[in-house]
């Protein structure tokens, strides 16, 4: 069992215009013999070019998988509070780009997860989802008034003991409560990744015809713990589209 430092779970606000370092971030470097993912996580597909990082999906095999993806994880584990990301999604059928919290049996935990995902086959939608003890009632599709692969925007979710609420550019987009579906309880890693799946996923994310080197770009990630008043990405990004003053 992997037992990483679980950290202090405190608030953070990290802009990639300032830095991207291994004290804050773990860059995934492994390949699973998975029937779900069809990628290996390749560090070379993670690129820091201030004011952002990009995560690339390409057609170079990462044995035994036929494609190479990219993933970064914020060190530590984080619980109730508000999570924000300023990002631009990856385009192309089969490509999935994401921002989410996650933990599972790898860390001695139940599989709890809260998702923001974009399917490259239709980047005018955001897919929200939650898993509690490995179970979900299915994704929630939220129509967007813009193309998430063409523009940079601010996305967020607020995780409380009895609810999860998603926001787009600071505006309420969707909310679920414990009356709708079970709400995750276990603190998790904050993760961004870009990937494609097995044929069983094609009906969901489309066949993998994405252009080689398609990528998602991330500018800022923040977590404000419940009850805290610390700064967030939204304090320095105007409508999620650009840094204030730039």
């Amino acid at each position: 069992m992997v037992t990483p430092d679980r950290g202090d779970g405190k608030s953070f606000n990290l802009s990639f215009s300032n830095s991207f370092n291994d004290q804050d971030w773990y860059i995934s470097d492994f390949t699973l013999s998975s029937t779900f993912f069809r990628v290996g996580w390749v560090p070379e597909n993670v690129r820091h070019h201030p004011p952002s990082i990009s995560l690339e999906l390409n057609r170079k095999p990462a044995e035994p998988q036929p494609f190479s993806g990219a993933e970064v994880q914020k060190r530590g584990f984080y619980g109730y509070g508000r999570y924000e990301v300023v990002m631009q999604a990856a385009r192309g059928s089969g490509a999935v780009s994401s921002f989410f919290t996650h933990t599972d049996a790898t860390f001695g935990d139940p599989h709890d997860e809260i998702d923001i995902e974009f399917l490259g086959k239709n980047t005018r939608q955001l897919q929200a989802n939650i898993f509690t003890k490995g179970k979900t009632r299915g994704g929630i599709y939220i129509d967007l008034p813009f193309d998430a692969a063409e523009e940079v925007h601010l996305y967020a979710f607020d995780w409380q003991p009895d609810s999860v609420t998603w926001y787009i550019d600071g505006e309420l987009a969707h909310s679920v409560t414990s009356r709708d579906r079970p709400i995750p309880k276990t603190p998790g890693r904050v993760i961004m990744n870009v990937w494609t799946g097995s044929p069983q996923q094609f009906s969901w994310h489309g066949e993998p015809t994405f252009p080689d080197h398609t990528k998602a770009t991330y500018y800022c990630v923040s977590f404000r713990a419940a009850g805290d008043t610390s700064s967030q990405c939204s304090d320095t990004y105007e409508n999620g589209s650009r840094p204030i003053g730039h």
Side-chain angles (χ1 to χ4, degrees):
M1 181 184 298
V2 179
T3 55
D5 180 2
R6 297 188 76 91
D8 56 19
K10 290 184 178 180
S11 305
F12 64 83
N13 184 4
L14 297 173
S15 168
F16 298 121
S17 63
N18 299 325
S19 67
F20 176 68
N21 61 68
D22 59 9
Q23 291 181 333
D24 291 319
W25 298 97
Y26 167 70
I27 301 176
S28 296
D29 183 10
F30 57 87
T31 302
L32 301 174
S33 299
S34 170
T35 58
F36 186 87
F37 294 108
R38 297 187 78 203
V39 298
W41 306 122
V42 177
E44 291 76 15
N45 287 1
V46 179
R47 306 178 193 276
H48 182 216
H49 33 65
S52 63
I53 63 168
S54 60
L55 305 184
E56 184 179 289
L57 176 64
N58 62 48
R59 297 182 174 278
K60 183 178 179 180
E63 297 297 337
Q65 302 294 359
F67 302 106
S68 299
E71 178 180 88
V72 296
Q73 303 182 24
K74 176 67 176 70
R75 295 189 184 276
F77 289 72
Y78 303 89
Y80 299 131
R82 185 180 177 96
Y83 297 77
E84 295 189 345
V85 63
V86 178
M87 66 173 289
Q88 184 172 350
R91 186 183 301 285
S93 177
V96 182
S97 47
S98 66
F99 172 73
F100 60 107
T101 61
H102 175 274
T103 192
D104 63 13
T106 305
F107 306 111
D109 294 329
H111 175 192
D112 280 10
E113 180 175 342
I114 303 174
D115 294 334
I116 288 174
E117 292 182 304
F118 299 92
L119 306 184
K121 69 178 185 179
N122 180 6
T123 49
R124 296 191 71 93
Q125 283 186 330
L126 176 154
Q127 180 173 314
N129 204 350
I130 59 178
F131 290 78
T132 306
K133 297 182 178 179
K135 296 182 179 180
T136 179
R137 294 188 180 176
I140 301 154
Y141 291 90
I142 301 169
D143 291 331
L144 302 172
F146 53 82
D147 187 333
E150 288 187 2
E151 302 177 11
V152 180
H153 286 269
L154 171 71
Y155 306 94
F157 57 83
D158 188 83
W159 176 19
Q160 299 298 328
D162 295 317
S163 66
V164 178
T165 304
W166 289 265
Y167 297 86
I168 300 168
D169 291 333
E171 299 294 326
L172 173 65
H174 191 83
S175 184
V176 297
T177 72
S178 55
R179 288 174 290 185
D180 304 313
R181 56 174 72 191
I183 302 298
K185 305 296 183 186
T186 313
R189 308 277 267 188
V190 177
I191 302 175
M192 298 100 80
N193 62 22
V194 179
W195 59 279
T196 193
S198 66
Q200 292 94 321
Q201 319 308 321
F202 289 2
S203 61
W204 170 54
H205 66 41
E207 294 190 25
T209 60
F210 55 83
D212 202 14
H213 307 294
T214 191
K215 64 184 180 181
T217 306
Y218 300 80
Y219 293 81
C220 182
V221 176
S222 65
F223 164 66
R224 187 169 72 183
D228 200 353
T229 58
S230 59
S231 67
Q232 306 173 91
C233 293
S234 53
D235 294 326
T236 51
Y237 279 76
E238 189 174 64
N239 296 325
S241 60
R242 64 185 71 83
I244 294 173
H246 287 63

mmCIF file of all heavy atoms in Angstrom, residues 186-225:
data_model
loop_
_atom_site.group_PDB
_atom_site.id
_atom_site.type_symbol
_atom_site.label_atom_id
_atom_site.label_comp_id
_atom_site.label_asym_id
_atom_site.label_seq_id
_atom_site.Cartn_x
_atom_site.Cartn_y
_atom_site.Cartn_z
ATOM 1 N N THR A 186 -14.290 11.553 2.078
ATOM 2 C CA THR A 186 -12.876 11.314 2.306
ATOM 3 C C THR A 186 -11.997 12.327 1.586
ATOM 4 O O THR A 186 -12.134 12.502 0.372
ATOM 5 C CB THR A 186 -12.492 9.902 1.820
ATOM 6 O OG1 THR A 186 -13.453 8.958 2.299
ATOM 7 C CG2 THR A 186 -11.107 9.516 2.303
ATOM 8 N N PRO A 187 -11.081 13.008 2.284
ATOM 9 C CA PRO A 187 -10.150 13.922 1.605
ATOM 10 C C PRO A 187 -9.371 13.196 0.513
ATOM 11 O O PRO A 187 -9.044 12.003 0.634
ATOM 12 C CB PRO A 187 -9.220 14.383 2.737
ATOM 13 C CG PRO A 187 -10.053 14.253 3.975
ATOM 14 C CD PRO A 187 -10.891 13.024 3.754
ATOM 15 N N GLY A 188 -9.075 13.922 -0.575
ATOM 16 C CA GLY A 188 -8.398 13.305 -1.712
ATOM 17 C C GLY A 188 -7.317 14.179 -2.297
ATOM 18 O O GLY A 188 -7.082 15.307 -1.871
ATOM 19 N N ARG A 189 -6.635 13.627 -3.290
ATOM 20 C CA ARG A 189 -5.644 14.370 -4.049
ATOM 21 C C ARG A 189 -6.360 15.308 -5.019
ATOM 22 O O ARG A 189 -7.446 14.998 -5.517
ATOM 23 C CB ARG A 189 -4.772 13.417 -4.854
ATOM 24 C CG ARG A 189 -4.154 12.291 -4.060
ATOM 25 C CD ARG A 189 -2.898 12.689 -3.360
ATOM 26 N NE ARG A 189 -1.717 12.407 -4.167
ATOM 27 C CZ ARG A 189 -0.469 12.523 -3.701
ATOM 28 N NH1 ARG A 189 -0.263 12.937 -2.465
ATOM 29 N NH2 ARG A 189 0.563 12.240 -4.462
ATOM 30 N N VAL A 190 -5.747 16.437 -5.326
ATOM 31 C CA VAL A 190 -6.222 17.330 -6.380
ATOM 32 C C VAL A 190 -5.429 16.974 -7.636
ATOM 33 O O VAL A 190 -4.194 17.049 -7.638
ATOM 34 C CB VAL A 190 -6.026 18.803 -6.012
ATOM 35 C CG1 VAL A 190 -6.466 19.706 -7.156
ATOM 36 C CG2 VAL A 190 -6.786 19.140 -4.732
ATOM 37 N N ILE A 191 -6.136 16.586 -8.697
ATOM 38 C CA ILE A 191 -5.488 16.008 -9.883
ATOM 39 C C ILE A 191 -5.997 16.700 -11.146
ATOM 40 O O ILE A 191 -7.178 17.018 -11.260
ATOM 41 C CB ILE A 191 -5.767 14.493 -9.971
ATOM 42 C CG1 ILE A 191 -5.267 13.778 -8.712
ATOM 43 C CG2 ILE A 191 -5.132 13.878 -11.220
ATOM 44 C CD1 ILE A 191 -5.604 12.295 -8.648
ATOM 45 N N MET A 192 -5.090 16.905 -12.100
ATOM 46 C CA MET A 192 -5.447 17.276 -13.470
ATOM 47 C C MET A 192 -4.808 16.245 -14.391
ATOM 48 O O MET A 192 -3.645 15.879 -14.191
ATOM 49 C CB MET A 192 -4.929 18.670 -13.838
ATOM 50 C CG MET A 192 -5.520 19.775 -12.977
ATOM 51 S SD MET A 192 -4.400 20.278 -11.682
ATOM 52 C CE MET A 192 -3.303 21.347 -12.611
ATOM 53 N N ASN A 193 -5.554 15.785 -15.389
ATOM 54 C CA ASN A 193 -4.955 14.882 -16.363
ATOM 55 C C ASN A 193 -5.645 14.965 -17.715
ATOM 56 O O ASN A 193 -6.722 15.566 -17.858
ATOM 57 C CB ASN A 193 -4.901 13.434 -15.837
ATOM 58 C CG ASN A 193 -6.254 12.820 -15.553
ATOM 59 O OD1 ASN A 193 -7.286 13.240 -16.079
ATOM 60 N ND2 ASN A 193 -6.264 11.776 -14.719
ATOM 61 N N VAL A 194 -4.970 14.372 -18.710
ATOM 62 C CA VAL A 194 -5.489 14.267 -20.074
ATOM 63 C C VAL A 194 -5.263 12.829 -20.508
ATOM 64 O O VAL A 194 -4.153 12.304 -20.385
ATOM 65 C CB VAL A 194 -4.785 15.241 -21.031
ATOM 66 C CG1 VAL A 194 -5.319 15.101 -22.438
ATOM 67 C CG2 VAL A 194 -4.957 16.685 -20.560
ATOM 68 N N TRP A 195 -6.331 12.183 -21.021
ATOM 69 C CA TRP A 195 -6.232 10.762 -21.293
ATOM 70 C C TRP A 195 -7.266 10.332 -22.318
ATOM 71 O O TRP A 195 -8.139 11.110 -22.712
ATOM 72 C CB TRP A 195 -6.400 9.959 -20.000
ATOM 73 C CG TRP A 195 -7.713 10.189 -19.281
ATOM 74 C CD1 TRP A 195 -8.029 11.233 -18.458
ATOM 75 C CD2 TRP A 195 -8.883 9.350 -19.327
ATOM 76 N NE1 TRP A 195 -9.320 11.106 -17.985
ATOM 77 C CE2 TRP A 195 -9.858 9.960 -18.492
ATOM 78 C CE3 TRP A 195 -9.193 8.159 -19.972
ATOM 79 C CZ2 TRP A 195 -11.126 9.412 -18.306
ATOM 80 C CZ3 TRP A 195 -10.451 7.604 -19.778
ATOM 81 C CH2 TRP A 195 -11.399 8.228 -18.951
ATOM 82 N N THR A 196 -7.156 9.066 -22.743
ATOM 83 C CA THR A 196 -8.195 8.420 -23.544
ATOM 84 C C THR A 196 -8.384 7.008 -23.027
ATOM 85 O O THR A 196 -7.485 6.447 -22.388
ATOM 86 C CB THR A 196 -7.839 8.426 -25.045
ATOM 87 O OG1 THR A 196 -8.996 8.063 -25.806
ATOM 88 C CG2 THR A 196 -6.692 7.463 -25.373
ATOM 89 N N GLY A 197 -9.560 6.440 -23.283
ATOM 90 C CA GLY A 197 -9.913 5.163 -22.688
ATOM 91 C C GLY A 197 -10.038 4.026 -23.678
ATOM 92 O O GLY A 197 -9.787 4.169 -24.879
ATOM 93 N N SER A 198 -10.464 2.893 -23.162
ATOM 94 C CA SER A 198 -10.603 1.664 -23.928
ATOM 95 C C SER A 198 -11.870 1.700 -24.775
ATOM 96 O O SER A 198 -12.706 2.599 -24.637
ATOM 97 C CB SER A 198 -10.668 0.487 -22.954
ATOM 98 O OG SER A 198 -11.859 0.576 -22.191
ATOM 99 N N PRO A 199 -12.037 0.720 -25.674
ATOM 100 C CA PRO A 199 -13.248 0.704 -26.500
ATOM 101 C C PRO A 199 -14.546 0.764 -25.710
ATOM 102 O O PRO A 199 -15.552 1.275 -26.211
ATOM 103 C CB PRO A 199 -13.113 -0.607 -27.285
ATOM 104 C CG PRO A 199 -11.641 -0.793 -27.426
ATOM 105 C CD PRO A 199 -11.071 -0.316 -26.112
ATOM 106 N N GLN A 200 -14.527 0.274 -24.472
ATOM 107 C CA GLN A 200 -15.738 0.354 -23.650
ATOM 108 C C GLN A 200 -16.124 1.806 -23.346
ATOM 109 O O GLN A 200 -17.267 2.084 -22.995
ATOM 110 C CB GLN A 200 -15.529 -0.404 -22.330
ATOM 111 C CG GLN A 200 -15.413 -1.904 -22.500
ATOM 112 C CD GLN A 200 -13.974 -2.364 -22.628
ATOM 113 O OE1 GLN A 200 -13.167 -1.697 -23.267
ATOM 114 N NE2 GLN A 200 -13.668 -3.507 -22.046
ATOM 115 N N GLN A 201 -15.159 2.739 -23.479
ATOM 116 C CA GLN A 201 -15.440 4.154 -23.200
ATOM 117 C C GLN A 201 -15.833 4.938 -24.459
ATOM 118 O O GLN A 201 -16.196 6.114 -24.367
ATOM 119 C CB GLN A 201 -14.208 4.839 -22.583
ATOM 120 C CG GLN A 201 -13.443 4.051 -21.547
ATOM 121 C CD GLN A 201 -14.297 3.501 -20.444
ATOM 122 O OE1 GLN A 201 -15.220 4.151 -19.971
ATOM 123 N NE2 GLN A 201 -13.995 2.285 -20.026
ATOM 124 N N PHE A 202 -15.745 4.300 -25.638
ATOM 125 C CA PHE A 202 -15.951 5.053 -26.882
ATOM 126 C C PHE A 202 -17.340 5.671 -26.958
ATOM 127 O O PHE A 202 -17.521 6.775 -27.481
ATOM 128 C CB PHE A 202 -15.713 4.166 -28.101
ATOM 129 C CG PHE A 202 -14.278 3.788 -28.341
ATOM 130 C CD1 PHE A 202 -13.267 4.196 -27.471
ATOM 131 C CD2 PHE A 202 -13.938 2.995 -29.426
ATOM 132 C CE1 PHE A 202 -11.944 3.829 -27.696
ATOM 133 C CE2 PHE A 202 -12.617 2.628 -29.665
ATOM 134 C CZ PHE A 202 -11.624 3.039 -28.801
ATOM 135 N N SER A 203 -18.344 4.957 -26.443
ATOM 136 C CA SER A 203 -19.712 5.500 -26.507
ATOM 137 C C SER A 203 -19.845 6.745 -25.640
ATOM 138 O O SER A 203 -20.749 7.561 -25.850
ATOM 139 C CB SER A 203 -20.723 4.446 -26.058
ATOM 140 O OG SER A 203 -20.486 4.051 -24.708
ATOM 141 N N TRP A 204 -18.937 6.896 -24.680
ATOM 142 C CA TRP A 204 -18.940 8.074 -23.801
ATOM 143 C C TRP A 204 -18.074 9.185 -24.379
ATOM 144 O O TRP A 204 -18.562 10.278 -24.666
ATOM 145 C CB TRP A 204 -18.453 7.660 -22.412
ATOM 146 C CG TRP A 204 -18.192 8.804 -21.484
ATOM 147 C CD1 TRP A 204 -19.053 9.804 -21.144
ATOM 148 C CD2 TRP A 204 -16.969 9.054 -20.770
ATOM 149 N NE1 TRP A 204 -18.450 10.685 -20.257
ATOM 150 C CE2 TRP A 204 -17.176 10.236 -20.011
ATOM 151 C CE3 TRP A 204 -15.751 8.406 -20.686
ATOM 152 C CZ2 TRP A 204 -16.180 10.773 -19.200
ATOM 153 C CZ3 TRP A 204 -14.771 8.923 -19.859
ATOM 154 C CH2 TRP A 204 -14.991 10.096 -19.135
ATOM 155 N N HIS A 205 -16.785 8.900 -24.585
ATOM 156 C CA HIS A 205 -15.884 9.992 -24.994
ATOM 157 C C HIS A 205 -15.549 10.008 -26.477
ATOM 158 O O HIS A 205 -14.837 10.899 -26.935
ATOM 159 C CB HIS A 205 -14.601 10.005 -24.163
ATOM 160 C CG HIS A 205 -13.673 8.824 -24.317
ATOM 161 N ND1 HIS A 205 -13.370 8.217 -25.517
ATOM 162 C CD2 HIS A 205 -12.930 8.166 -23.386
ATOM 163 C CE1 HIS A 205 -12.500 7.260 -25.337
ATOM 164 N NE2 HIS A 205 -12.232 7.192 -24.040
ATOM 165 N N GLY A 206 -16.082 9.059 -27.250
ATOM 166 C CA GLY A 206 -15.821 9.032 -28.685
ATOM 167 C C GLY A 206 -14.587 8.203 -29.020
ATOM 168 O O GLY A 206 -13.739 7.928 -28.167
ATOM 169 N N GLU A 207 -14.498 7.791 -30.283
ATOM 170 C CA GLU A 207 -13.318 7.054 -30.729
ATOM 171 C C GLU A 207 -12.103 7.976 -30.698
ATOM 172 O O GLU A 207 -12.221 9.180 -30.907
ATOM 173 C CB GLU A 207 -13.537 6.502 -32.134
ATOM 174 C CG GLU A 207 -14.623 5.440 -32.187
ATOM 175 C CD GLU A 207 -14.665 4.718 -33.519
ATOM 176 O OE1 GLU A 207 -13.617 4.687 -34.211
ATOM 177 O OE2 GLU A 207 -15.734 4.191 -33.856
ATOM 178 N N PRO A 208 -10.907 7.434 -30.446
ATOM 179 C CA PRO A 208 -9.717 8.267 -30.294
ATOM 180 C C PRO A 208 -9.164 8.761 -31.631
ATOM 181 O O PRO A 208 -8.117 8.316 -32.113
ATOM 182 C CB PRO A 208 -8.735 7.336 -29.578
ATOM 183 C CG PRO A 208 -9.142 5.968 -29.989
ATOM 184 C CD PRO A 208 -10.640 6.017 -30.129
ATOM 185 N N THR A 209 -9.864 9.712 -32.223
ATOM 186 C CA THR A 209 -9.413 10.350 -33.461
ATOM 187 C C THR A 209 -8.854 11.743 -33.191
ATOM 188 O O THR A 209 -8.683 12.529 -34.120
ATOM 189 C CB THR A 209 -10.568 10.433 -34.473
ATOM 190 O OG1 THR A 209 -11.635 11.198 -33.904
ATOM 191 C CG2 THR A 209 -11.078 9.053 -34.841
ATOM 192 N N PHE A 210 -8.572 12.051 -31.921
ATOM 193 C CA PHE A 210 -8.044 13.356 -31.548
ATOM 194 C C PHE A 210 -6.749 13.651 -32.314
ATOM 195 O O PHE A 210 -5.987 12.744 -32.656
ATOM 196 C CB PHE A 210 -7.771 13.405 -30.040
ATOM 197 C CG PHE A 210 -6.879 12.305 -29.528
ATOM 198 C CD1 PHE A 210 -5.493 12.386 -29.612
ATOM 199 C CD2 PHE A 210 -7.428 11.166 -28.972
ATOM 200 C CE1 PHE A 210 -4.674 11.377 -29.147
ATOM 201 C CE2 PHE A 210 -6.620 10.136 -28.497
ATOM 202 C CZ PHE A 210 -5.232 10.243 -28.593
ATOM 203 N N PRO A 211 -6.461 14.926 -32.584
ATOM 204 C CA PRO A 211 -5.204 15.267 -33.253
ATOM 205 C C PRO A 211 -4.014 14.976 -32.351
ATOM 206 O O PRO A 211 -4.084 15.155 -31.133
ATOM 207 C CB PRO A 211 -5.344 16.773 -33.527
ATOM 208 C CG PRO A 211 -6.345 17.251 -32.531
ATOM 209 C CD PRO A 211 -7.297 16.112 -32.314
ATOM 210 N N ASP A 212 -2.939 14.505 -32.941
ATOM 211 C CA ASP A 212 -1.728 14.247 -32.165
ATOM 212 C C ASP A 212 -1.280 15.518 -31.455
ATOM 213 O O ASP A 212 -1.373 16.616 -32.005
ATOM 214 C CB ASP A 212 -0.617 13.746 -33.095
ATOM 215 C CG ASP A 212 0.463 12.979 -32.353
ATOM 216 O OD1 ASP A 212 0.231 12.596 -31.186
ATOM 217 O OD2 ASP A 212 1.527 12.753 -32.949
ATOM 218 N N HIS A 213 -0.836 15.352 -30.211
ATOM 219 C CA HIS A 213 -0.355 16.466 -29.374
ATOM 220 C C HIS A 213 -1.483 17.410 -28.945
ATOM 221 O O HIS A 213 -1.214 18.575 -28.634
ATOM 222 C CB HIS A 213 0.746 17.270 -30.086
ATOM 223 C CG HIS A 213 1.885 16.419 -30.576
ATOM 224 N ND1 HIS A 213 2.733 15.752 -29.721
ATOM 225 C CD2 HIS A 213 2.285 16.113 -31.834
ATOM 226 C CE1 HIS A 213 3.625 15.078 -30.437
ATOM 227 N NE2 HIS A 213 3.381 15.279 -31.706
ATOM 228 N N THR A 214 -2.720 16.912 -28.937
ATOM 229 C CA THR A 214 -3.771 17.758 -28.369
ATOM 230 C C THR A 214 -3.460 17.981 -26.900
ATOM 231 O O THR A 214 -2.823 17.145 -26.250
ATOM 232 C CB THR A 214 -5.163 17.134 -28.550
ATOM 233 O OG1 THR A 214 -6.162 18.105 -28.218
ATOM 234 C CG2 THR A 214 -5.371 15.894 -27.694
ATOM 235 N N LYS A 215 -3.874 19.111 -26.342
ATOM 236 C CA LYS A 215 -3.460 19.442 -24.983
ATOM 237 C C LYS A 215 -4.513 20.268 -24.268
ATOM 238 O O LYS A 215 -5.336 20.946 -24.881
ATOM 239 C CB LYS A 215 -2.139 20.221 -24.990
ATOM 240 C CG LYS A 215 -2.233 21.566 -25.674
ATOM 241 C CD LYS A 215 -0.868 22.242 -25.730
ATOM 242 C CE LYS A 215 -0.982 23.609 -26.415
ATOM 243 N NZ LYS A 215 0.337 24.269 -26.509
ATOM 244 N N ALA A 216 -4.477 20.175 -22.935
ATOM 245 C CA ALA A 216 -5.231 21.063 -22.059
ATOM 246 C C ALA A 216 -4.224 21.986 -21.374
ATOM 247 O O ALA A 216 -3.102 21.578 -21.069
ATOM 248 C CB ALA A 216 -6.013 20.275 -21.024
ATOM 249 N N THR A 217 -4.641 23.228 -21.135
ATOM 250 C CA THR A 217 -3.755 24.236 -20.560
ATOM 251 C C THR A 217 -4.357 24.744 -19.259
ATOM 252 O O THR A 217 -5.550 25.036 -19.197
ATOM 253 C CB THR A 217 -3.549 25.399 -21.543
ATOM 254 O OG1 THR A 217 -3.103 24.871 -22.798
ATOM 255 C CG2 THR A 217 -2.512 26.376 -21.025
ATOM 256 N N TYR A 218 -3.510 24.863 -18.237
ATOM 257 C CA TYR A 218 -3.948 25.245 -16.887
ATOM 258 C C TYR A 218 -3.136 26.452 -16.421
ATOM 259 O O TYR A 218 -1.903 26.464 -16.547
ATOM 260 C CB TYR A 218 -3.746 24.092 -15.903
ATOM 261 C CG TYR A 218 -4.518 22.841 -16.254
ATOM 262 C CD1 TYR A 218 -4.052 21.962 -17.232
ATOM 263 C CD2 TYR A 218 -5.708 22.532 -15.609
ATOM 264 C CE1 TYR A 218 -4.765 20.818 -17.558
ATOM 265 C CE2 TYR A 218 -6.425 21.385 -15.929
ATOM 266 C CZ TYR A 218 -5.945 20.527 -16.907
ATOM 267 O OH TYR A 218 -6.645 19.391 -17.231
ATOM 268 N N TYR A 219 -3.823 27.454 -15.863
ATOM 269 C CA TYR A 219 -3.186 28.700 -15.446
ATOM 270 C C TYR A 219 -3.112 28.862 -13.935
ATOM 271 O O TYR A 219 -2.189 29.500 -13.428
ATOM 272 C CB TYR A 219 -3.942 29.888 -16.043
ATOM 273 C CG TYR A 219 -3.828 29.974 -17.537
ATOM 274 C CD1 TYR A 219 -4.630 29.187 -18.366
ATOM 275 C CD2 TYR A 219 -2.914 30.829 -18.143
ATOM 276 C CE1 TYR A 219 -4.516 29.247 -19.743
ATOM 277 C CE2 TYR A 219 -2.792 30.896 -19.523
ATOM 278 C CZ TYR A 219 -3.594 30.099 -20.320
ATOM 279 O OH TYR A 219 -3.472 30.151 -21.689
ATOM 280 N N CYS A 220 -4.071 28.338 -13.218
ATOM 281 C CA CYS A 220 -4.152 28.545 -11.775
ATOM 282 C C CYS A 220 -4.999 27.443 -11.159
ATOM 283 O O CYS A 220 -5.988 27.005 -11.765
ATOM 284 C CB CYS A 220 -4.773 29.916 -11.476
ATOM 285 S SG CYS A 220 -4.891 30.340 -9.723
ATOM 286 N N VAL A 221 -4.602 27.002 -9.970
ATOM 287 C CA VAL A 221 -5.366 26.019 -9.194
ATOM 288 C C VAL A 221 -5.398 26.502 -7.747
ATOM 289 O O VAL A 221 -4.360 26.896 -7.203
ATOM 290 C CB VAL A 221 -4.738 24.619 -9.265
ATOM 291 C CG1 VAL A 221 -5.493 23.653 -8.367
ATOM 292 C CG2 VAL A 221 -4.712 24.100 -10.688
ATOM 293 N N SER A 222 -6.564 26.463 -7.123
ATOM 294 C CA SER A 222 -6.644 26.867 -5.724
ATOM 295 C C SER A 222 -7.633 25.996 -4.962
ATOM 296 O O SER A 222 -8.545 25.411 -5.536
ATOM 297 C CB SER A 222 -7.032 28.342 -5.588
ATOM 298 O OG SER A 222 -8.346 28.580 -6.070
ATOM 299 N N PHE A 223 -7.400 25.944 -3.643
ATOM 300 C CA PHE A 223 -8.309 25.286 -2.718
ATOM 301 C C PHE A 223 -8.446 26.203 -1.510
ATOM 302 O O PHE A 223 -7.450 26.617 -0.913
ATOM 303 C CB PHE A 223 -7.764 23.926 -2.276
ATOM 304 C CG PHE A 223 -8.428 23.355 -1.057
ATOM 305 C CD1 PHE A 223 -9.766 22.982 -1.088
ATOM 306 C CD2 PHE A 223 -7.732 23.198 0.138
ATOM 307 C CE1 PHE A 223 -10.397 22.463 0.043
ATOM 308 C CE2 PHE A 223 -8.340 22.679 1.275
ATOM 309 C CZ PHE A 223 -9.680 22.312 1.223
ATOM 310 N N ARG A 224 -9.682 26.548 -1.164
ATOM 311 C CA ARG A 224 -9.952 27.313 0.046
ATOM 312 C C ARG A 224 -10.759 26.432 0.982
ATOM 313 O O ARG A 224 -11.914 26.109 0.714
ATOM 314 C CB ARG A 224 -10.708 28.609 -0.268
ATOM 315 C CG ARG A 224 -10.843 29.502 0.967
ATOM 316 C CD ARG A 224 -11.348 30.882 0.610
ATOM 317 N NE ARG A 224 -12.748 30.863 0.230
ATOM 318 C CZ ARG A 224 -13.420 31.940 -0.176
ATOM 319 N NH1 ARG A 224 -12.799 33.095 -0.298
ATOM 320 N NH2 ARG A 224 -14.691 31.840 -0.492
ATOM 321 N N ALA A 225 -10.125 26.015 2.074
ATOM 322 C CA ALA A 225 -10.757 25.106 3.017
ATOM 323 C C ALA A 225 -12.015 25.727 3.613
ATOM 324 O O ALA A 225 -12.115 26.952 3.774
ATOM 325 C CB ALA A 225 -9.775 24.750 4.131
#
